[in-house]
């Protein structure tokens, strides 16, 4: 057998009958740190738990979702917060941006924004549960892998959300 043919067969075996799997598209995602101040003057952020029947079930995340074609990031976040929580949010400044490769081959590009004010009654429309957490307590929740660096930085006070 010629060398090239041997390599081709090896590649075919490695990739399976259907050939190499196409790389999954990069998901462009926006998410919000919705902030409020509790009765003691401590800042809290709204966190959300994914449902059991969703991918990455029961993990915690910040509300948001994928940017749709033709949308700007702030516009997408405004829409997502309305769909998920029933609010009309004033999207504040960007906080950070994270690129993460998930083990299943999917990659996400996450842009986080601060939200300090919104109108409408906050309502859980899609999550298993939502709750307000102090920054120090964030590491107690099982967050999505892409968020872990951010969670650590927020808990350690390395990333400031204050004006
Ligand atoms: N909203 C949000 N998504 C996050 C965070 N961290 C993180 O890795 N993601 C990922 C999870 C999802 O793959 C993607 C968000 O898109 P989505 O909420 O529309 O997607 P999904 O997986 O619930 O649903 P699908 O449309 O992909 O089936 O970004 C986060 O803090 N908030």
């Amino acid at each position: 057998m010629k060398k090239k043919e041997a390599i081709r067969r090896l590649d075919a075996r490695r990739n399976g009958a259907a050939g190499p799997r196409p790389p999954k598209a990069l998901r462009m995602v926006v998410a919000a740190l919705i902030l409020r101040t509790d009765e003691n003057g401590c800042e809290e952020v709204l966190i959300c738990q994914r449902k059991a029947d969703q991918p990455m079930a029961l993990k915690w995340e910040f509300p948001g979702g994928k940017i749709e074609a033709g949308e700007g990031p702030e516009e997408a976040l405004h829409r997502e917060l309305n769909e998920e929580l029933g609010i009309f949010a004033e999207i504040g400044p960007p906080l950070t941006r994270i690129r993460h490769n998930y083990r299943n081959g999917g990659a996400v590009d996450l842009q986080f924004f601060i939200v300090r004010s919104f109108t409408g009654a906050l309502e859980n429309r899609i999550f298993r549960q939502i709750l307000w957490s102090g920054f120090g307590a964030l590491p107690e929740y099982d967050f999505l892998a892409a968020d872990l660096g951010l969670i650590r930085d927020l808990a350690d006070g390395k990333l400031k959300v204050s004006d």
Side-chain angles (χ1 to χ4, degrees):
M1 195 188 332
K2 292 232 178 73
K3 201 165 143 206
K4 269 196 191 149
E5 174 61 11
I7 290 170
R8 195 195 60 74
R9 286 191 190 181
L10 257 177
D11 278 349
R13 207 182 306 155
R14 226 178 269 143
N15 293 324
R21 260 194 246 152
K24 287 194 183 166
L26 176 66
R27 280 162 287 167
M28 302 300 290
V29 177
V30 279
L33 271 73
I34 304 179
L35 303 175
R36 75 168 189 189
T37 307
D38 74 7
E39 59 277 11
N40 303 315
C42 294
E43 205 133 46
E44 293 182 318
V45 59
L46 188 80
I47 61 172
C48 308
Q49 188 179 30
R50 295 166 74 88
K51 285 194 173 151
D53 59 1
Q54 275 183 287
M56 303 193 270
L58 304 180
K59 292 283 185 184
W60 289 83
E61 65 180 11
F62 297 101
K66 289 192 277 288
I67 303 176
E68 289 178 1
E71 275 183 335
E74 285 93 347
E75 190 186 351
L77 188 53
H78 188 269
R79 173 186 51 73
E80 287 283 354
L81 296 181
N82 182 250
E83 289 171 5
E84 297 180 352
L85 301 167
I87 59 171
F88 299 91
E90 194 182 308
I91 310 301
L95 178 69
T96 188
R97 188 167 185 168
I98 296 169
R99 182 74 77 91
H100 182 83
N101 295 313
Y102 275 105
R103 284 221 198 107
N104 66 3
V108 284
D109 178 299
L110 282 155
Q111 295 180 66
F112 292 89
F113 290 83
I114 301 289
V115 169
R116 287 189 177 276
S117 97
F118 60 83
T119 57
L122 190 67
E123 170 195 354
N124 176 11
R125 292 188 173 169
I126 63 152
F127 298 103
R128 178 165 187 263
Q129 56 177 324
I130 62 175
L131 59 83
W132 294 96
S133 169
F135 286 107
L138 286 175
E140 293 166 22
Y141 298 91
D142 184 17
F143 267 85
L144 286 171
D147 295 13
L148 293 178
L150 171 61
I151 293 303
R152 195 67 272 155
D153 285 350
L154 289 168
D156 292 349
K158 283 190 191 146
L159 200 58
K160 292 268 181 257
V161 294
S162 336
D163 302 313

